[in-house]
Amino acid sequence: MDKENIKDTYDFGFNDGDNSIIKFEPGLSEEVIRRISKIKNEPEWMLDIRLKAYKTFIKMSNPKFGPSLEEINFDEITYYSSSTKRSEEDWDKVPEEIKKTFEIIGIQEAEAKYLNGVSTQYDSETVYKKISNELKEQGVIFSNIESAIQKYPDIVKKYFGKLVSYSDNKYAALNTAVWSGGSFIYIPDGVKLEKPLQAYFRINGNKTGQFERTLIILESDASLHYVEGCTAPVYDENNLHAAVVEVFVGKNSNCRYTTIQNWSKNVMNLVTKRAIVKENGNMSWIDGNIGSYINMKYPCTILAGENSKSDSISVAIGSGKTIQDVGAKMIHIAPNTRSSIISKSISLNGGDSRYRGFVEIAKDAINSISHIECDTLILDDISRSDTIPTEIINNSESYVDHEAKISTINDDQLFYFMSRGISKEEAEFLIILGFIEPFTKELPMEYAVELNRLIKMDMEGSVG
């Protein structure tokens, strides 16, 4: 699919022009990192982390697995661009062009109907954030990382980079060096949120990088559902999105992290997400992957406490020249731990979807169980899909089972629908929705409806 056709079928492919008030020249250097740190008025310890990460980034190579990333030219990327002087808590004070963009996306409506709090990021900076007074009174913190460093430096210093260090991979190093924006969430003991908190990320600039950092901490007996979404304009050149997410789940706590990724097909999405779970805790990754030029994302959970659990349920659509190299990682350290990975992928119109997973059960993690289920639907003869699992069991008292299936749309199913007056195109769409139902049933209704609409747009003219 060419860029013009993408613009016709992708609702959020518009751009606002260059409305930045601060925009760095392309290229990465120590001076760039120092300028970012100065703009944010950071303490010396954070600048020190950034500079160490930069030195590590220079030395590290691209991953030796997955699609080639050699075409990324780090000298052509803009690493900081801001269109606002500060993050607002009053929607009316957000700059008009930015506000118009987020109103088209529907952020304010979602905040009013479904959410306890919302944060929106535009290029490098958070432009709007708000949390309900009720949550504030309970001690819940929901802000960007910059604000958290100023107000709660001891908490940030205790957790930042402890799960995803800058030496983890090249793009974690890049993020740590140039991060800007993202979410900081702290849930105190015993606080259970009934409505989600949501963050929304929008890239506007051309050949611009977005490098948000998300840090989530749940103390004991707490619960959180965090939802993030993302869009970007359609450009002829590629944009880079390299985020890092760290989640700390306390004893008896429950965290659900839902992503509806809807990047345009010129975004290279290279993300590191990792959680650690204490005794009796639970971590759920609900991951929807639509769009991107190259998408590499493998949410990881470290099951560090006895009886802790984690599940990952994902859907990925490889359409056109898109490469979806996605999956999940489960690392069992403690005994009696449970994990589940359910991966649904769809390849069409020459797309490439791959499941890349990793499960390890440590020697001391006795009586642990992991279940992996990978299903692929291939819709034509020019698309492909691969399943690339790694599974390691280091004791004889644990169990891993893996099942994988590749299928096409069944002619009998099509005949059944069409004999009842349903068009072939609509019948194919209904079959696809049935295929991904294990994923969509995990979403709140409003997000499931939106996901179905996005999938239908992405497949328009590609099936049948």
Side-chain angles (χ1 to χ4, degrees):
M1 186 180 290
D2 60 32
K3 291 285 195 304
E4 291 303 316
N5 287 334
I6 291 172
K7 288 176 182 176
D8 292 340
T9 59
Y10 177 64
D11 279 0
F12 309 113
F14 63 91
N15 70 75
D16 301 330
D18 186 358
N19 54 22
S20 58
I21 57 175
I22 302 175
K23 185 176 182 179
F24 289 6
E25 291 296 316
L28 184 58
S29 65
E30 185 174 314
E31 180 189 356
V32 166
I33 292 160
R34 289 183 179 277
R35 286 177 67 194
I36 292 173
S37 186
K38 185 175 182 180
I39 286 171
K40 298 178 182 301
N41 192 30
E42 289 178 347
E44 193 69 28
W45 61 264
M46 180 55 75
L47 174 59
D48 184 56
I49 291 173
R50 288 184 183 273
L51 294 174
K52 288 178 179 176
Y54 172 62
K55 291 176 182 176
T56 301
F57 165 77
I58 292 172
K59 296 175 184 177
M60 294 187 85
S61 302
N62 276 316
K64 292 182 170 55
F65 61 87
S68 173
L69 302 176
E70 296 305 317
E71 67 180 274
I72 298 176
N73 187 335
F74 296 103
D75 293 330
E76 293 183 351
I77 295 170
T78 297
Y79 289 91
Y80 184 86
S81 175
S82 177
S83 301
T84 183
K85 294 180 180 179
R86 59 185 174 272
S87 175
E88 302 288 357
E89 293 189 10
D90 183 344
W91 182 253
D92 291 335
K93 292 182 180 179
V94 175
E96 198 60 37
E97 280 301 312
I98 299 175
K99 186 164 62 174
K100 181 180 177 182
T101 292
F102 284 118
E103 284 173 349
I104 292 172
I105 293 168
I107 293 299
Q108 196 177 24
E109 181 182 4
E111 177 188 0
K113 289 184 178 180
Y114 312 118
L115 305 172
N116 262 324
V118 65
S119 171
T120 58
Q121 180 162 334
Y122 190 91
D123 284 340
S124 297
E125 292 289 358
T126 303
V127 297
Y128 174 69
K129 62 178 187 295
K130 192 171 183 181
I131 185 173
S132 71
N133 289 329
E134 180 184 353
L135 293 189
K136 286 182 181 179
E137 291 169 1
Q138 295 179 74
V140 174
I141 303 169
F142 181 33
S143 72
N144 52 17
I145 300 281
E146 291 90 339
S147 297
I149 289 174
Q150 301 299 325
K151 296 179 181 179
Y152 317 101
D154 292 342
I155 300 178
V156 177
K157 197 170 184 179
K158 179 180 178 180
Y159 291 100
F160 187 97
K162 298 303 186 291
L163 272 181
V164 181
S165 74
Y166 54 76
S167 60
D168 190 89
N169 64 75
K170 188 173 182 68
Y171 294 90
L174 178 62
N175 174 278
T176 307
V178 300
W179 71 266
S180 186
S183 297
F184 175 83
I185 300 174
Y186 177 82
I187 312 294
D189 284 342
V191 176
K192 302 180 189 298
L193 275 62
E194 295 181 2
K195 292 182 180 180
L197 299 179
Q198 176 169 315
Y200 205 94
F201 301 96
R202 173 74 177 179
I203 297 175
N204 181 65
N206 188 15
K207 300 175 82 170
T208 297
Q210 190 173 71
F211 308 98
E212 80 273 9
R213 188 88 183 202
T214 295
L215 180 58
I216 299 174
I217 302 131
L218 284 79
E219 298 289 7
S220 301
D221 300 293
S223 69
L224 165 71
H225 184 187
Y226 176 74
V227 182
E228 66 177 7
C230 40
T231 59
V234 175
Y235 290 116
D236 291 328
E237 295 88 6
N238 291 325
N239 282 342
L240 175 61
H241 177 251
V244 168
V245 174
E246 297 176 288
V247 184
F248 296 82
V249 181
K251 183 179 177 181
N252 301 318
S253 290
N254 184 21
C255 182
R256 172 168 290 210
Y257 194 117
T258 297
T259 302
I260 304 298
Q261 173 191 303
N262 184 27
W263 291 123
S264 57
K265 293 184 181 179
N266 54 277
V267 174
M268 303 186 78
N269 189 50
L270 312 172
V271 177
T272 306
K273 293 184 171 183
R274 193 165 298 150
I276 189 167
V277 187
K278 290 186 177 180
E279 180 182 348
N280 296 314
N282 182 66
M283 179 71 207
S284 293
W285 302 100
I286 313 298
D287 206 24
N289 299 288
I290 303 171
S292 298
Y293 169 43
I294 291 175
N295 184 33
M296 298 178 72
K297 190 200 308 178
Y298 323 97
C300 172
T301 302
I302 301 168
L303 296 163
E306 188 167 2
N307 297 311
S308 57
K309 298 182 294 183
S310 181
D311 59 275
S312 172
I313 303 176
S314 64
V315 62
I317 299 177
S319 172
K321 296 181 180 180
T322 299
I323 300 175
Q324 297 282 1
D325 196 288
V326 298
K329 299 179 180 180
M330 299 290 177
I331 301 171
H332 297 245
I333 295 176
N336 303 305
T337 48
R338 302 286 183 271
S339 69
S340 172
I341 299 172
I342 297 176
S343 171
K344 298 279 186 176
S345 60
I346 300 169
S347 297
L348 68 153
N349 197 28
D352 185 342
S353 61
R354 312 167 186 177
Y355 166 80
R356 190 182 302 276
F358 179 87
V359 175
E360 182 172 9
I361 300 179
K363 181 180 179 181
D364 294 331
I366 59 172
N367 299 320
S368 294
I369 296 174
S370 184
H371 171 74
I372 304 101
E373 189 177 319
C374 305
D375 292 339
T376 298
L377 190 61
I378 300 179
L379 301 183
D380 53 47
D381 296 332
I382 59 173
S383 301
R384 63 172 293 162
S385 180
D386 296 281
T387 299
I388 311 166
T390 300
E391 289 144 15
I392 302 168
I393 309 173
N394 292 304
N395 70 69
S396 60
E397 299 173 65
S398 296
Y399 179 77
V400 173
D401 72 276
H402 183 127
E403 53 185 85
K405 182 172 64 177
I406 297 178
S407 58
T408 59
I409 288 183
N410 188 290
D411 288 340
D412 291 339
Q413 289 177 309
L414 280 179
F415 177 78
Y416 175 85
F417 281 113
M418 293 173 69
S419 67
R420 281 154 178 77
I422 298 173
S423 69
K424 184 180 180 183
E425 184 179 43
E426 189 63 24
E428 289 171 328
F429 180 62
L430 291 172
I431 291 168
I432 290 165
L433 293 187
F435 174 76
I436 65 168
E437 187 264 347
F439 174 83
T440 54
K441 75 178 183 181
E442 297 296 328
L443 299 175
M445 178 61 71
E446 61 276 8
Y447 298 109
V449 170
E450 175 65 7
L451 179 71
N452 292 349
R453 188 184 71 83
L454 294 174
I455 290 172
K456 194 166 190 176
M457 285 197 320
D458 200 54
M459 294 181 173
E460 194 170 299
S462 297
V463 296

